[in-house]
Amino acid sequence: MQIVEAATGRLLGTVDEPAAHTAVHDGAVHLHQGRTYLVKRLDLEDSVALVEEADPPYSTTARDTTSISVLETDTEVPWGAGRLCYGSVEVTNQVVSFLRRKLITGEVLGETKLDLPPRTLRTRAVWWTVTEDQLDAARVHPEQLGGALHAAEHASIGLLPLFATCDRWDIGGVSVPLHPDTLLPTVFVYDGHPGGAGFAERAFHTARDWLDATREAIASCECDAGCPSCIQSPKCGNGNDPLHKRAAVRLLTVLLGDAPGAPRDGAPGSRQVPATRDGDRETTEQATGRREDPAAPRAPWQGSPAQSEPGNPSEPGSGNPAGPEHREGRGTPER
């Protein structure tokens, strides 16, 4: 996708086609060699973004929706009543709007709707599910579920480059309180490349160590409610909301305790679920954020629609039957 100065016809640079919807959509602020430009028009047919030099007092952040469907499960391993799975998925992503944020303070000045087509990606993914009993054991309340899954998704994506030869921007993720294919709360991490690139497969084979490192990274962080060092993502399409740090630690503790070969309670190396703190419960509005779809189906223990962090969007979107998802992934801002 070429970036062209409208007044002169000068070619400023290019952007990967998969990232164009989030980087050079209509109204986007684009930086090039220390200069600031505003995108006047994104022409998808001619693969060109027309820009003009400007000095707006704000930055822009794209907001998108992502849904993921399971095409085929190649391998499935019981983790207690939950499951760890690896297989083929289809990710659908659509950029739906962008936020204007005041420079320095980050204050949201407004949101503008966009009319861009959805993109789809068929790739490979690893995913894990948890059951109602596991949620009860972790003391994850319905209003905390979306934030707990979302936080675990972000942190696991951030830690996967330690176990697979990838960058955070090479992979994406989606967390769903009730996924229509698994019928359970589910966290997906997928390769951001068509057909897969081996990252999710590596994650599946190192899942216990990978998710244990994820839990430790969250639990050991000194922040109170989450920060960029643990559960916040630089490319979250949901604006890093909702997130629940302590609930994510409790959920991962229970999940790992049910992993094959994990130490049993009371045995050396076993972990106890951390105690909850006063005020640990959130209101449903705080936990779900503004993207919740009231009409979406809910299990009795389900509190919020899915979250996600985008991967390579030569495909992506988030208008799924179970409600908007929280996600993180390649080439797009995370949620």
Side-chain angles (χ1 to χ4, degrees):
M1 183 72 67
Q2 295 183 324
I3 302 172
V4 176
E5 190 171 31
T8 65
R10 181 168 64 101
L11 177 65
L12 299 181
T14 61
V15 63
D16 289 344
E17 194 270 340
H21 288 207
T22 57
V24 289
H25 56 75
D26 291 357
V29 173
H30 178 72
L31 298 178
H32 176 70
Q33 294 184 349
R35 295 188 176 185
T36 305
Y37 296 84
L38 272 178
V39 178
K40 303 304 295 180
R41 185 166 67 93
L42 173 61
D43 189 329
L44 296 176
E45 288 188 3
D46 292 336
S47 296
V48 62
L50 298 176
V51 303
E52 65 179 15
E53 192 166 356
D55 187 25
Y58 59 84
S59 63
T60 54
T61 304
R63 294 182 66 87
D64 58 352
T65 60
T66 297
S67 63
I68 188 167
S69 58
V70 176
L71 302 178
E72 183 179 6
T73 302
D74 294 350
T75 310
E76 181 177 307
V77 179
W79 278 33
R83 292 290 185 272
L84 175 74
C85 305
Y86 171 72
S88 298
V89 298
E90 183 174 80
V91 184
T92 303
N93 174 272
Q94 184 174 20
V95 175
V96 295
S97 66
F98 69 93
L99 299 179
R100 296 185 306 280
R101 293 183 180 274
K102 192 173 182 179
L103 297 177
I104 309 299
T105 66
E107 174 189 355
V108 175
L109 301 176
E111 181 174 6
T112 302
K113 300 298 182 183
L114 293 170
D115 184 19
L116 290 168
R119 306 166 63 81
T120 60
L121 169 72
R122 289 197 172 194
T123 187
R124 308 285 276 172
V126 58
W127 63 93
W128 50 268
T129 64
V130 290
T131 64
E132 183 175 0
D133 288 342
Q134 288 174 314
L135 293 175
D136 289 342
R139 299 191 298 278
V140 175
H141 305 296
E143 65 272 19
Q144 300 169 343
L145 179 56
L149 295 172
H150 195 194
E153 173 215 324
H154 279 187
S156 65
I157 288 174
L159 268 291
L160 185 54
L162 297 179
F163 297 86
T165 54
C166 67
D167 181 86
R168 184 174 196 140
W169 295 84
D170 290 323
I171 51 181
V174 177
S175 54
V176 194
L178 178 62
H179 193 271
D181 294 330
T182 66
L183 300 179
L184 289 169
T186 309
V187 173
F188 293 85
V189 175
Y190 61 87
D191 291 348
H193 301 269
F199 309 136
E201 183 177 11
R202 177 64 177 166
F204 176 80
H205 290 299
T206 62
R208 185 177 162 192
D209 290 339
W210 166 46
L211 293 178
D212 186 62
T214 297
R215 180 203 174 280
E216 286 302 304
I218 302 174
S220 63
C221 187
E222 296 181 355
C223 71
D224 181 52
C227 69
S229 294
C230 57
I231 62 173
Q232 291 181 2
S233 165
K235 57 193 180 77
C236 180
N238 293 87
N240 285 299
D241 180 56
L243 294 173
H244 200 298
K245 177 181 177 178
R246 294 189 292 275
V249 172
R250 298 196 300 271
L251 181 59
L252 288 169
T253 299
V254 168
L255 179 70
L256 288 161
D258 288 335
R264 298 297 94 189
D265 289 347
S270 65
R271 291 196 181 93
Q272 300 299 314
V273 178
T276 55
R277 301 182 188 177
D278 291 341
D280 200 23
R281 279 179 171 269
E282 300 173 323
T283 66
T284 300
E285 181 179 358
Q286 288 173 323
T288 59
R290 59 177 181 166
R291 289 195 175 233
E292 178 164 356
D293 178 4
R298 294 285 187 273
W301 34 263
Q302 179 186 5
S304 70
Q307 319 294 318
S308 65
E309 178 176 335
N312 182 342
S314 53
E315 31 31 34
S318 180
N320 66 356
E325 305 176 351
H326 302 289
R327 71 189 169 289
E328 172 181 341
R330 177 176 173 241
T332 56
E334 300 177 13
R335 312 188 167 220

